[in-house]
Amino acid sequence: MKKFLAMLLAAAMLCALAACGGGGTTTPNTPSGGSETQTGASGAPSVETTEINIGYMPNYGGMWSMMTAVKMGFFEEEGLKVNLTEFQDGPTIIAAMENGSVNFGYIGQGAHKLCVKGNATIIALSHISNGDALIGGPGITSVEDLKGKTVAYSSGTSSEDILRNSLAAHNMTMDDITAMDMDAASVVTAMMSNGVDACATWSPNSLTILDGMEGATKLTDNMTFADTSVSLASWIATPGYLEANRDVAVRFVRALFKAMDYASDGHFEEVAQWSSEQAKLDYQAFYDERGVAEWLTGQEVVKGVADGTVKGYYELQQKNLLDGGTITEEDVCPVENYVDFDLMTEAGNY
């Protein structure tokens, strides 16, 4: 994984030199007896307690920093009372943010195209993912074997990205397969029941299929394209919410950065337990996901913003989205238009 990060760093810096380019149950996660104002343990001036709604996905990547911030009291330190709502994909979270039911949300690689298009602003880099995979069923052992076959995927997500990238790498397009667009849960069901020949999905679904389906073969994953692409996960808010609540956003990201410092320091078992309990899913499935990403500390993100590395990641990502056909030339813009590097820098002062 460290080799993977090094490769990404090199690619990102090269790109930096180039031209720019539904919902589930809501769960309150707050200490009981909270007051309207709060004073930090260090004796810092009190801040008004603000209630926020967070949209997340029920996997390790979508929950690792959020649940750590809840359980370690980092949101409480920042005067934030949080309500958590589970979603199955990033585009649905963005839709909920646009209708006002969610203030902050987590997205994987695919939904970043909506940020490029102006629907949401990235306020924090979460991690670099290797959890996406294109998986063949029995008898399918190469991408070329997919010609004429039925492949399940979820449009607008990292599932579509890994599928398109895999096909393009073998001089194929979506026209060479029978692409079946379905939600993430249905992808697993269709694959495990042999209803489709192959699928593109993300962890823990990819791990579930590979572990539980006889004859399943991983054809590609994010590592396959590590020298030319990057798969990012981020935290976002709408431009309108940020304009009216920038201080709240800084406090939110600061809590996440503190949580990332703690969680990435070998606390995988603890974080997996917190996350599995919140999602009401199997602990082992969450723990097994610890190897599917580069779990950055908050301070690594802040340092990467300062030296241009993080900007390079998002520039490379935008190029990948363009090359994959999920955005157009008209969408291409400076990443500063939709990534708030200043906010990350401000939140990193702790």
Side-chain angles (χ1 to χ4, degrees):
M1 187 63 69
K2 293 299 182 184
K3 181 179 178 182
F4 172 50
L5 179 59
M7 293 165 65
L8 284 177
L9 285 168
M13 292 309 294
L14 285 174
C15 184
L17 295 174
C20 142
T25 304
T26 300
T27 307
N29 282 267
T30 61
S32 60
S35 61
E36 289 301 315
T37 59
Q38 181 146 342
T39 303
S42 62
S46 61
V47 294
E48 182 178 354
T49 298
T50 303
E51 186 168 353
I52 59 173
N53 300 318
I54 304 174
Y56 70 94
M57 285 184 266
N59 54 43
Y60 192 97
M63 302 179 73
W64 75 291
S65 58
M66 178 191 75
M67 287 309 302
T68 301
V70 169
K71 294 296 186 179
M72 295 298 294
F74 298 136
F75 285 136
E76 181 184 4
E77 287 179 5
E78 296 296 331
L80 299 176
K81 178 181 179 182
V82 303
N83 303 307
L84 310 181
T85 304
E86 179 182 306
F87 295 83
Q88 293 303 312
D89 59 69
T92 308
I93 290 176
I94 292 177
M97 294 172 65
E98 290 175 332
N99 69 32
S101 61
V102 169
N103 306 124
F104 300 102
Y106 165 87
I107 59 170
Q109 172 77 359
H112 282 76
K113 72 176 184 181
L114 296 175
C115 297
V116 178
K117 295 178 179 182
N119 296 72
T121 298
I122 295 163
I123 58 174
L125 171 61
S126 173
H127 58 272
I128 302 168
S129 175
N130 185 38
D132 308 318
L134 177 61
I135 303 171
I140 296 179
T141 59
S142 70
V143 175
E144 290 90 343
D145 290 341
L146 295 179
K147 288 184 177 180
K149 298 296 193 297
T150 302
V151 183
Y153 79 109
S154 300
S155 64
T157 71
S158 59
S159 161
E160 181 176 1
D161 284 352
I162 193 71
L163 175 57
R164 287 183 179 275
N165 287 340
S166 300
L167 293 172
H170 293 81
N171 298 312
M172 297 168 62
T173 70
M174 298 288 271
D175 293 334
D176 292 308
I177 63 174
T178 300
M180 298 290 291
D181 187 6
M182 54 185 72
D183 63 64
S186 298
V187 168
V188 177
T189 301
M191 189 67 176
M192 299 289 283
S193 64
N194 292 303
V196 294
D197 300 302
C199 73
T201 188
W202 57 83
S203 64
N205 296 340
S206 54
L207 300 178
T208 297
I209 294 167
L210 290 167
D211 291 342
M213 183 180 184
E214 185 174 355
T217 301
K218 186 197 298 186
L219 306 179
T220 62
D221 60 17
N222 303 115
M223 284 286 287
T224 307
F225 311 101
D227 58 338
T228 58
S229 69
V230 63
S231 181
L232 305 177
S234 303
W235 286 93
I236 60 172
T238 64
Y241 183 85
L242 285 178
E243 184 177 356
N245 303 276
R246 186 172 183 83
D247 177 64
V248 177
V250 170
R251 287 150 57 189
F252 173 76
V253 174
R254 185 180 295 125
L256 288 181
F257 281 170
K258 292 176 183 178
M260 291 162 66
D261 290 344
Y262 179 86
S264 62
D265 190 25
H267 294 95
F268 299 111
E269 294 180 359
E270 199 171 12
V271 175
Q273 188 65 48
W274 292 335
S275 301
S276 64
E277 289 174 355
Q278 170 67 25
K280 297 179 175 59
L281 294 172
D282 179 59
Y283 161 80
Q284 192 62 43
F286 275 82
Y287 184 64
D288 288 345
E289 286 189 79
R290 69 194 184 281
V292 302
E294 185 70 27
W295 308 109
L296 304 170
T297 68
Q299 287 303 304
E300 284 174 333
V301 173
V302 175
K303 180 180 179 181
V305 169
D307 65 19
T309 300
V310 172
K311 179 181 178 181
Y313 287 156
Y314 285 107
E315 289 179 332
L316 180 58
Q317 180 193 57
Q318 186 181 128
K319 180 180 183 300
N320 296 154
L321 293 172
L322 178 63
D323 293 344
T326 55
I327 63 172
T328 68
E329 289 283 358
E330 293 181 352
D331 298 318
V332 173
C333 63
V335 294
E336 292 90 343
N337 285 16
Y338 60 91
V339 184
D340 198 330
F341 298 113
D342 289 341
L343 192 151
M344 293 187 223
T345 299
E346 185 177 351
N349 294 322
Y350 59 89

